[in-house]
Amino acid sequence: MPSDPESRPCPKTVEVSKLEDVPACDYFLSGKGVPAQGTRVRVANATVGGRLLVVDEQGAGIGFLPARFDPLLGCLSHGIEYRGRVSASALRPVPIVKVELSSLSRPPPPGGGDEPADGP
C-alpha cells in the first residue's frame, strides 16, 4: 500500500465516533450546547490551526476531526466535499458529537475552471 496520502483513494463515507474539542468550538460556546441528532454538517474547506473542523450549515464550528482523518485534507484540495449529519450527541458526562459524512464532488467553477480566476 502506498504511503503517500495523495495516492490513497478518498473514502465515500466517514463515520466519526467522537469529534474533538467540542466545548472549545463556536457552536458550544455560543450557548447552543451540542447539535441535535440529524443536524446537517460539513467539513470546512480550510483548516483551523492545521486541523479539520466540522461546521453546521451556518458555518459555526462544532468540533475537530481526530488526526487519523487528516488525509481528508488532500481530498478536500482535490474538489471533494464531505457533508452529512450528526448521528448522536450528548452533553453529559462530557459533551460528545458523533457524525456520519459522505463525499460529494464540488461542481467546477463557472467556465469549467480552465481559466485563471479574476481578482484576489
Side-chain angles (χ1 to χ4, degrees), residues 25-89:
C25 291
D26 293 340
Y27 193 96
F28 189 88
L29 293 173
S30 70
K32 295 179 184 175
V34 294
Q37 183 176 353
T39 299
R40 292 181 182 192
V41 297
R42 65 180 172 84
V43 177
N45 292 331
T47 60
V48 176
R51 300 173 72 192
L52 291 169
L53 181 65
V54 174
V55 298
D56 69 2
E57 288 187 306
Q58 288 72 43
I62 294 171
F64 292 95
L65 292 177
R68 70 180 177 275
F69 294 104
D70 284 354
L72 293 182
L73 184 56
C75 301
L76 294 170
S77 70
H78 285 97
I80 304 293
E81 276 187 20
Y82 285 89
R83 294 184 176 265
R85 294 184 184 274
V86 171
S87 56
S89 63

